[in-house]
Amino acid sequence: MPVALIVFGVIATSGYAAKPRSFVGSSRAILGTLSSLTASTRLGDFDGDGDLDVAVANGRHWPQQNFLFLNQIRGRFNVQRRLGADWRTTYATEVADLDGDGDLDIAVGNDMAPSQVMLNDGHGRFVPGATLGELSSVRSLTLADLDGDKDIDILATSRGRPNRIFLNDGHARFGNEKNFGGPSDSTISVAVADLNADGHNDLVLANRDGQQSYVLLNDGQLRFETKVYFGGKSDETRAVAVGDINRDGMMDVVAGNIGQPNAVYLGDSSGGFETRVPFGRADGQTYAIKLADMNKDQSLDVVVGNVAQSNAVFFSNATFFRDQVGDAFSETRFGDVTAATYGLDVGDLDGDGFDDIVTANSGSLNRVFSNRPKR
């Protein structure tokens, strides 16, 4: 089916009730060193003191040490702690309570090295848990309850190899596993959400290397047999997120692309994603996407991490998505244009009620950007 295209200017200057925001870095708000090849940062209260800490995944293809940075007060990360004894080729650290004991554990995804669960003792100290399957070229992990049994399962994407689901037995053991997607898909990331409102979590795959991205619908028995494609066959999609961007009650897909604009694919009542809203640079190099309400206007905004281009927050314009008036987004840039931002996360680090940003930069300093009123 043809894809409807909505075109707009990238920079908008009016039409927002919320006050403009900026994202401010500091020479003290850094995590790690210039030698860190960081692929992912994830936020969570690991030590149980009520504020958000940061797990940093280092290495990518070259073994390095992973770390925790513990928030001491209002976004000051003055304590660094090793995560695991071994140096590994880590692409992902994802956070959830995997063993049901009330604290946050960490799943670590590695490239051709054992991926593993790290279990929290409740005070931010972690011991090795279950190993996840065979060695694979893991590019991302996603944590969600896929089988409806109230515990958190793990999805691992692998570029050029089978993607895997590891089902949790409720005690952070993951012996029951199965494939999803094609056996040679170049899947870089996957998002999980109930896209068709049937009560079951579906999968949204970001593919590259000439493979089209698609949705896999869950039939309730973990048989993902129905595909719904989005984007073009030549799209190089590296990041994907899901949320109701236009506030119509249906989930939309946000794709981060390489060598082309990013795009929002609006979900419709037929279960498709035919309407495309492009945003960002025509030669974009987006490696990471997060959705959050960054300016407290009740709309989801898009936080984008780029390689060798400025990172940006794209603030949603509710009037555009409701009435097709004005521009879809206004853009606020942040960070170093030379940084290779492979990942990012958002959360309120300093307790002021606004989400801040932590970037994962490969070969340059990882940084915290505080969300402040624009002057």
Side-chain angles (χ1 to χ4, degrees):
M1 294 179 65
V3 175
L5 176 64
I6 300 177
V7 180
F8 59 93
V10 172
I11 305 293
T13 58
S14 63
Y16 294 90
K19 294 181 179 179
R21 309 295 298 181
S22 62
F23 300 90
V24 181
S26 160
S27 61
R28 291 192 175 186
I30 59 175
L31 306 172
T33 66
L34 286 169
S35 64
S36 297
L37 300 174
T38 304
S40 170
T41 52
R42 287 294 178 264
L43 305 183
D45 182 9
F46 301 120
D47 54 4
D49 65 353
D51 52 30
L52 291 176
D53 311 304
V54 185
V56 174
N58 290 324
R60 294 175 46 229
H61 307 295
W62 303 272
Q64 289 187 334
Q65 178 70 59
N66 297 321
F67 289 103
L68 301 177
F69 290 86
L70 301 181
N71 192 345
Q72 299 306 292
I73 183 172
R74 294 192 298 275
R76 293 181 179 270
F77 296 92
N78 296 334
V79 174
Q80 174 181 294
R81 185 174 292 172
R82 292 176 181 171
L83 177 63
D86 294 340
W87 291 24
R88 298 197 180 184
T89 49
T90 303
Y91 260 91
T93 48
E94 294 294 337
V95 176
D97 182 6
L98 297 172
D99 56 5
D101 66 352
D103 54 39
L104 291 177
D105 309 302
I106 300 175
V108 180
N110 301 312
D111 178 39
M112 301 310 295
S115 296
Q116 192 169 33
V117 169
M118 302 295 291
L119 299 176
N120 193 346
D121 69 354
H123 303 284
R125 299 189 182 277
F126 290 79
V127 297
T131 298
L132 302 174
E134 300 177 352
L135 298 186
S136 192
S137 52
V138 172
R139 290 297 182 269
S140 72
L141 299 178
T142 302
L143 309 187
D145 180 11
L146 287 180
D147 53 6
D149 64 355
K150 308 302 182 184
D151 54 35
I152 302 299
D153 309 305
I154 300 175
L155 299 90
T157 67
S158 298
R159 186 176 184 180
R161 295 171 182 264
N163 304 314
R164 303 290 285 165
I165 296 170
F166 300 95
L167 296 174
N168 193 344
D169 70 353
H171 303 283
R173 296 187 293 257
F174 298 88
N176 186 4
E177 58 186 86
K178 64 178 296 178
N179 292 356
F180 69 94
S184 59
D185 279 358
S186 283
T187 305
I188 305 300
S189 66
V190 59
V192 178
D194 182 5
L195 296 174
N196 55 359
D198 66 351
H200 307 302
N201 273 328
D202 309 304
L203 311 182
V204 184
L205 279 67
N207 292 330
R208 56 179 307 188
D209 299 332
Q211 299 172 0
Q212 191 168 5
S213 298
Y214 55 84
V215 171
L216 287 173
L217 296 178
N218 186 352
D219 68 353
Q221 302 297 319
L222 293 184
R223 292 188 296 261
F224 296 94
E225 297 173 351
T226 301
K227 283 186 180 181
V228 181
Y229 288 96
F230 64 92
K233 293 182 179 179
S234 62
D235 289 0
E236 290 281 315
T237 302
R238 188 173 180 108
V240 69
V242 177
D244 186 5
I245 299 293
N246 60 352
R247 298 167 64 180
D248 65 351
M250 291 177 283
M251 288 294 185
D252 310 307
V253 174
V254 184
N257 297 321
I258 298 173
Q260 62 196 84
N262 302 320
V264 178
Y265 296 93
L266 299 177
D268 58 42
S269 58
S270 69
F273 300 90
E274 300 298 330
T275 300
R276 173 176 173 262
V277 181
F279 67 97
R281 291 175 51 156
D283 61 346
Q285 295 290 323
T286 296
Y287 277 50
I289 282 181
K290 283 288 182 178
L291 305 183
D293 183 1
M294 302 298 288
N295 58 355
K296 300 298 183 183
D297 68 348
Q298 310 303 312
S299 295
L300 284 176
D301 308 307
V302 185
V303 186
V304 169
N306 296 318
V307 169
Q309 296 175 355
S310 294
N311 301 322
V313 177
F314 290 88
F315 291 99
S316 298
N317 180 359
T319 303
F320 171 87
F321 286 107
R322 184 182 64 244
D323 302 324
Q324 308 296 291
V325 174
D327 298 306
F329 296 98
S330 65
E331 179 184 2
T332 296
R333 297 173 183 172
F334 67 93
D336 184 352
V337 69
T338 65
T341 301
Y342 271 69
L344 53 79
D345 207 358
V346 300
D348 184 6
L349 299 173
D350 53 12
D352 68 350
F354 286 87
D355 283 341
D356 309 299
I357 303 170
V358 181
T359 58
N361 297 326
S362 184
S364 60
L365 294 171
N366 305 314
R367 293 191 177 274
V368 176
F369 293 91
S370 298
N371 188 342
R372 297 286 184 259
K374 184 173 286 187
R375 295 182 178 179

